[in-house]
Amino acid sequence: MKIHKLVIVLFCLSTQLCLAQQIEGIITTQNGIPLKDVNVTVLEINKGATTDSQGRFTIKLKEGIYKLYVSLLGYTPQTLSAEVSKKSTILEIKLIDNYSLLSEVVVSASREKQFRSEVPAAIGIVNSQSIKETKAFGIDQLVNQVSGVFMSTSRAASNEQHFMAVRSPISTRALFLYLEDGLQVRPTSVFNHNALLEMNDISYSRIEVLKGPASSIYGSESIGGSFNFITKTPSPEFSATLGYQINDIGLSRYDFEVSDQASDKFGFYLGSHFVNRNNGPIEHSDYEKFALTFKTVYTLSSKFEWTNVFDLIDYRSDMSGSLTEDDYFGGNFESDQTFTERDALAFRLRSTLTANWNDTHKTTFNAVLRDNRMDQNPSFRIRQFREMGSLTGFGSGEVNSNQFKSYMALVQHKVALNVNNSSLIIGGTVDYSPQDYTSKRTDVIVDIESGRNIDFNIREGDFILNYEADILNYAGFFQYEIEPIKRLKVTAALRYDRFEYNYLNRTPEVGVPSSTDDYENWAPKLGMNYNFESGIGLYINYSQGFTPPQVSTLYRNRNELRDIKPSTYDNYEIGGYFNLNEQWNFDTAIYLLEGKNTLITLRDDDDAFFNTNAGKTRSYGIEYGLTYSPTQKLSITHNGSYAFHRYVTFFDAGIDYSDTDRETAPNLLGTSLITYRPFEDFSVTAEHELIGKYNTSFENQVENEDGTTGTATYDGHNIFNLRATYRYKNLEVWGHLLNIFDDLYSARASYNRFRNENSFTIGNPRSFHVGIKVHL
């Protein structure tokens, strides 16, 4: 009897095994990129699986018809039917990016993936589709699509050199943090504004701009905004592209990319470009740049992933300087400079180990090595000597060299808590950056008739500065999120930073004595999001920003009468985001940014630039972005801001400029786009750039001939561009028509009180830019 029962049991088990089949599948994006960690749930039996690094999953099931629910953060979930038969069922599923304001995924607010609706801050996103359609040959063409962001550059003159404005005047201040995959491109206090010169724009798949202070997570310098450039990931199959671009203002560019998920565990991406300009519209504006990015992703196991990114940038450019009023309005674009230049070599190596211990614990370990050198013969340091208002034929300048190595480590751990959908992020970072700086005087020879600087000689041993400075920055931070009631998210964060500057003056006869300077700061943040079911969300936040003095600024300007203090900013903000009928997307933010010890640049009585703190400043305004998509083929977007930037308490040369408008601070910024996609792989976009009128001098700084005073201004500009891109099989072609109406405009205007007139950085004239790319 027992034998019979055993036979029956074995028969039943064998039958079950025979009936057991399976569903296999691969899940990718619309572009065929495999998606990891996609949840696939069989609704009838609440059984499921998640995809591996290749986007593959397997579920064992009996024969029958089942409903599968497929979901991943940032993508539109799908419910589909699948039949399981004796033959193995293989599914190919493509998920669609969900670009709605509420459900789009961002990483810049915490270095972790989260919904836009969980971030109590203004954040703008340039996604992969926008990057693909824009075909930008400058980062400004991308980031200026974000409301309230104005990256000011002249493709005719600036050689990728630029100014920036986000909740601030147009300047080169250290108010903006530039990140690559959430980690700083340059270390703290080493003039991070140059970081954008040291980046490889072909390697980025996405850009996130977190507006307002983010010191609670990133530390110093993230005041006006944090720009996070997210690198491309290995493609699921081998792919390679060759590209070439050219325009009629002297620029040519070559691009190369290759990418592959070579095995189940290893993938790589390599992207490189070389750009060169000769004989542009502005004399003495040539430049060359080589950029290379190599990224590897290695899946060690189901819990560990190891990512390495290597960047190499070799850059050299002329520095043409600005134009006088006579030259600007008279169409004379000859530069007064003939030898000024900037030469940079930047190397970065970043290694990240991500450990997903289980469903609730995740740790990331980051190590970064930076090795930079920048040599300059800067145009902004040249002074021409005059007697009785006439040129003498002589002048002065300087050559300088700044070299640093930087070693940084950052550890961050996230734990999901089983209390009201809460989570805790804790972390710590240390950055040690020794640097070497030398600056020597030069004698400049000036052509009296033309006013051009035609030659120079270095005065060997005549140092302006000659020092070593070791910078140590260490910090600890946490961020806690909780949902006390349904649809309400509360975020609280705090970070402590300490900076130690060990300054050694190698030439005591010049500069300031050797010293050790310490700065520290606590940066809090508190915010709340409330999301309605109707696709509407509101948020409110308070955050604080902080930036210590840049090393070159601190030790160049310090003396017994003035010192450079850290700047702090308190940000108060309320905003909202709206997604209506899948046709209207709208986001807005109203902010107040209170600055203390804001750093500004002035000219002394010898016409030399120096930096000083400006007491108190205040910026306040509204940022807004609207996108209307009446059909899938047409979208209309307008992004803009209307703001005021004021001195609250500020004195210069005994004159009280308190309660006045700051210079180079336009009230109105705006970018409008109309994009038409008549069919797949073709788009055409009309673009309008608006910069409002702004002061170039302090209020009433200009002394008129009749004894009255006035304020120098720039009238702003309206520039129209047109671009189109088309792909046919393995071939892409595109074209840009820039400044359609060939308007004369300035990328940035400033006031020179010694000449009692404005100086202008010329904007690009009407130009044609074309490109071609072959997909191999």
Side-chain angles (χ1 to χ4, degrees):
M1 188 68 175
K2 291 181 179 180
I3 295 177
H4 289 164
K5 288 182 179 179
L6 180 59
V7 171
I8 293 171
V9 170
L10 292 174
F11 175 77
C12 292
L13 288 174
S14 64
T15 303
Q16 284 291 98
L17 291 173
C18 291
L19 291 176
Q21 307 297 330
Q22 66 182 20
I23 291 179
E24 298 178 24
I26 181 171
I27 302 177
T28 67
T29 66
Q30 290 291 96
N31 297 325
I33 299 174
L35 290 172
K36 185 183 177 183
D37 296 328
V38 181
N39 294 311
V40 183
T41 305
V42 182
L43 296 178
E44 288 82 357
I45 59 175
N46 197 28
K47 181 180 181 180
T50 57
T51 57
D52 60 17
S53 61
Q54 299 297 304
R56 300 182 183 278
F57 71 93
T58 301
I59 306 175
K60 292 184 177 181
L61 295 168
K62 297 180 182 179
E63 292 185 18
I65 298 176
Y66 299 90
K67 286 186 176 180
L68 305 182
Y69 182 74
V70 183
S71 63
L72 178 65
L73 193 69
Y75 294 83
T76 302
Q78 292 185 24
T79 302
L80 52 93
S81 296
E83 182 178 358
V84 179
S85 60
K86 292 182 179 180
K87 296 180 66 176
S88 180
T89 303
I90 301 177
L91 302 175
E92 294 183 1
I93 303 170
K94 292 182 180 292
L95 292 184
I96 300 172
D97 292 339
N98 190 334
Y99 292 123
S100 73
L101 291 171
L102 287 177
S103 56
E104 187 161 15
V105 176
V106 297
V107 297
S108 296
S110 62
R111 294 195 188 91
E112 299 285 347
K113 288 183 179 180
Q114 59 187 139
F115 285 125
R116 168 66 186 89
S117 57
E118 298 174 342
V119 179
I123 187 164
I125 299 164
V126 184
N127 56 45
S128 58
Q129 181 182 3
S130 295
I131 293 175
K132 179 181 177 182
E133 289 182 342
T134 302
K135 290 291 187 293
F137 61 96
I139 291 176
D140 61 299
Q141 292 174 289
L142 297 172
V143 299
N144 286 351
Q145 297 179 29
V146 176
S147 61
V149 174
F150 178 52
M151 179 179 170
S152 170
T153 186
S154 167
R155 300 182 194 96
S158 69
N159 313 331
E160 297 190 24
Q161 299 166 59
H162 61 278
F163 304 89
M164 188 68 78
V166 188
R167 300 188 178 182
S168 64
I170 305 169
S171 74
T172 58
R173 291 277 153 251
L175 300 175
F176 317 103
L177 194 61
Y178 302 111
L179 310 163
E180 188 174 77
D181 294 331
L183 298 173
Q184 290 177 241
V185 174
R186 272 187 160 229
T188 296
S189 302
V190 190
F191 197 59
N192 74 350
H193 193 77
N194 281 329
L196 286 180
L197 300 179
E198 301 167 357
M199 302 180 79
N200 181 11
D201 57 20
I202 195 176
S203 67
Y204 303 124
S205 65
R206 179 181 173 88
I207 303 171
E208 297 180 359
V209 183
L210 184 63
K211 289 171 281 186
S215 292
S216 63
I217 188 73
Y218 290 118
S220 67
E221 298 175 347
S222 52
I223 310 300
S226 302
F227 294 73
N228 192 5
F229 296 85
I230 299 170
T231 55
K232 294 178 180 177
T233 56
S235 58
E237 297 179 353
F238 179 83
S239 65
T241 63
L242 288 172
Y244 176 67
Q245 304 176 53
I246 191 171
N247 63 31
D248 61 348
I249 54 175
L251 182 141
S252 59
R253 171 171 166 153
Y254 304 84
D255 298 323
F256 170 69
E257 291 183 286
V258 60
S259 181
D260 188 23
Q261 186 68 44
S263 68
D264 290 346
K265 293 184 176 294
F266 178 76
F268 71 91
Y269 166 83
L270 174 67
S272 180
H273 79 265
F274 174 74
V275 61
N276 175 66
R277 185 176 65 214
N278 289 307
N279 301 319
I282 303 297
E283 192 178 10
H284 193 64
S285 62
D286 295 352
Y287 83 111
E288 310 85 39
K289 177 179 179 179
F290 171 77
L292 181 143
T293 299
F294 182 57
K295 180 177 183 177
T296 62
V297 180
Y298 188 66
T299 304
L300 301 172
S301 68
S302 60
K303 293 184 178 181
F304 296 98
E305 184 175 88
W306 186 27
T307 301
N308 293 280
V309 179
F310 167 89
D311 290 297
L312 177 64
I313 310 294
D314 190 357
Y315 170 93
R316 192 217 66 85
S317 76
D318 295 338
M319 298 179 69
S320 59
S322 55
L323 299 176
T324 65
E325 283 192 2
D326 287 343
D327 288 345
Y328 175 74
F329 289 110
N332 178 14
F333 298 156
E334 275 192 353
S335 173
D336 287 342
Q337 314 299 338
T338 61
F339 52 78
T340 52
E341 66 174 351
R342 173 174 285 158
D343 192 347
L345 182 64
F347 165 83
R348 296 190 302 275
L349 177 62
R350 171 168 52 86
S351 186
T352 300
L353 179 65
T354 303
N356 291 284
W357 307 106
N358 50 45
D359 292 339
T360 58
H361 288 269
K362 175 188 175 183
T363 308
T364 54
F365 305 89
N366 300 277
V368 179
L369 168 64
R370 311 179 186 98
D371 192 344
N372 281 51
R373 190 207 75 230
M374 180 169 287
D375 300 326
Q376 293 187 113
N377 190 336
S379 58
F380 55 82
R381 294 294 181 189
I382 289 184
R383 295 171 49 229
Q384 297 176 332
F385 299 152
R386 286 176 167 82
E387 290 183 359
M388 305 295 291
S390 299
L391 292 172
T392 65
F394 301 99
S396 67
E398 74 174 72
V399 293
N400 58 56
S401 178
N402 186 13
Q403 302 179 49
F404 69 85
K405 290 187 178 181
S406 180
Y407 311 89
M408 193 271 279
L410 183 149
V411 179
Q412 178 169 305
H413 182 77
K414 180 180 180 181
V415 54
L417 305 172
N418 191 25
V419 179
N420 296 89
N421 194 25
S422 61
S423 64
L424 176 65
I425 295 172
I426 58 173
T429 180
V430 59
D431 191 328
Y432 177 62
S433 302
Q435 65 171 301
D436 182 286
Y437 187 90
T438 60
S439 174
K440 300 177 183 178
R441 299 184 194 277
T442 63
D443 293 319
V444 175
I445 300 174
V446 183
D447 182 83
I448 296 177
E449 292 185 3
S450 66
R452 304 183 74 196
N453 305 311
I454 58 175
D455 202 358
F456 74 100
N457 295 300
I458 300 175
R459 299 171 65 173
E460 294 295 342
D462 189 357
F463 290 101
I464 300 172
L465 290 171
N466 181 20
Y467 66 79
E468 297 175 10
D470 297 340
I471 308 170
L472 177 62
N473 171 213
Y474 51 90
F477 58 89
F478 83 86
Q479 180 165 303
Y480 179 66
E481 299 178 358
I482 189 171
E483 193 173 313
I485 62 174
K486 187 177 181 181
R487 297 196 295 273
L488 176 65
K489 192 80 162 184
V490 178
T491 301
L494 182 66
R495 175 174 171 132
Y496 171 77
D497 272 278
R498 182 171 176 83
F499 302 87
E500 298 178 0
Y501 295 9
N502 186 9
Y503 169 74
L504 173 63
N505 186 351
R506 294 181 301 211
T507 306
E509 296 80 14
V510 297
V512 298
S514 300
S515 65
T516 299
D517 296 278
D518 300 326
Y519 304 99
E520 61 181 1
N521 186 67
W522 292 90
K525 176 180 179 178
L526 179 63
M528 293 183 289
N529 296 74
Y530 189 82
N531 298 294
F532 301 88
E533 291 182 346
S534 56
I536 298 175
L538 302 174
Y539 71 87
I540 186 171
N541 85 54
Y542 163 76
S543 58
Q544 188 184 87
F546 164 79
T547 181
Q550 302 282 298
V551 173
S552 59
T553 298
L554 178 63
Y555 298 115
R556 178 182 288 268
N557 292 277
R558 172 179 284 178
N559 59 34
E560 65 275 6
L561 298 178
R562 62 176 179 245
D563 197 359
I564 303 298
K565 301 176 182 177
S567 302
T568 57
Y569 298 81
D570 292 299
N571 183 73
Y572 307 88
E573 183 175 341
I574 184 170
Y577 28 85
F578 310 87
N579 179 26
L580 306 176
N581 302 323
E582 297 185 355
Q583 291 185 331
W584 293 91
N585 282 333
F586 178 65
D587 69 280
T588 186
I590 300 172
Y591 69 90
L592 170 64
L593 185 63
E594 298 272 9
K596 182 180 179 181
N597 294 322
T598 301
L599 198 65
I600 63 170
T601 300
L602 301 174
R603 290 176 184 260
D604 62 20
D605 292 336
D606 294 324
D607 195 21
F609 290 103
F610 71 94
N611 293 280
T612 187
N613 297 112
K616 295 182 180 180
T617 59
R618 176 177 297 138
S619 297
Y620 56 97
I622 182 172
E623 300 161 342
Y624 47 88
L626 174 67
T627 297
Y628 174 53
S629 303
T631 69
Q632 291 184 345
K633 295 182 178 181
L634 179 66
S635 65
I636 303 170
T637 299
H638 174 67
N639 296 308
S641 68
Y642 188 76
F644 295 91
H645 307 279
R646 307 273 292 173
Y647 290 112
V648 177
T649 304
F650 174 53
F651 293 82
D652 177 51
I655 301 175
D656 185 1
Y657 291 108
S658 302
D659 197 28
T660 62
D661 286 335
R662 298 179 66 184
E663 67 279 14
T664 65
N667 299 128
L668 188 61
L669 301 173
T671 300
S672 301
L673 304 169
I674 300 176
T675 300
Y676 180 56
R677 308 173 184 89
F679 52 87
E680 189 176 3
D681 293 328
F682 176 75
S683 69
V684 58
T685 299
E687 179 183 50
H688 170 227
E689 175 188 288
L690 166 64
I691 304 299
K693 182 178 180 179
Y694 58 82
N695 294 346
T696 56
S697 71
F698 298 133
E699 284 192 21
N700 295 316
Q701 183 186 19
V702 180
E703 297 181 1
N704 300 320
E705 293 181 357
D706 60 3
T708 62
T709 59
T711 305
T713 62
Y714 171 67
D715 289 336
H717 57 257
N718 289 271
I719 301 300
F720 295 86
N721 305 313
L722 187 67
R723 61 176 182 262
T725 179
Y726 174 63
R727 177 170 177 173
Y728 177 73
K729 295 184 178 179
N730 293 332
L731 184 67
E732 278 186 278
V733 293
W734 62 91
H736 296 187
L737 174 55
L738 304 175
N739 192 1
I740 295 173
F741 301 108
D742 200 21
D743 290 331
L744 176 68
Y745 74 100
S746 178
R748 182 181 183 269
S750 60
Y751 178 70
N752 186 317
R753 68 184 179 92
F754 291 91
R755 294 202 308 262
N756 197 28
E757 65 176 27
N758 283 334
S759 298
F760 299 91
T761 299
I762 187 72
N764 58 281
R766 179 168 53 213
S767 57
F768 300 89
H769 184 91
V770 295
I772 184 171
K773 179 180 288 186
V774 179
H775 295 257
L776 304 175

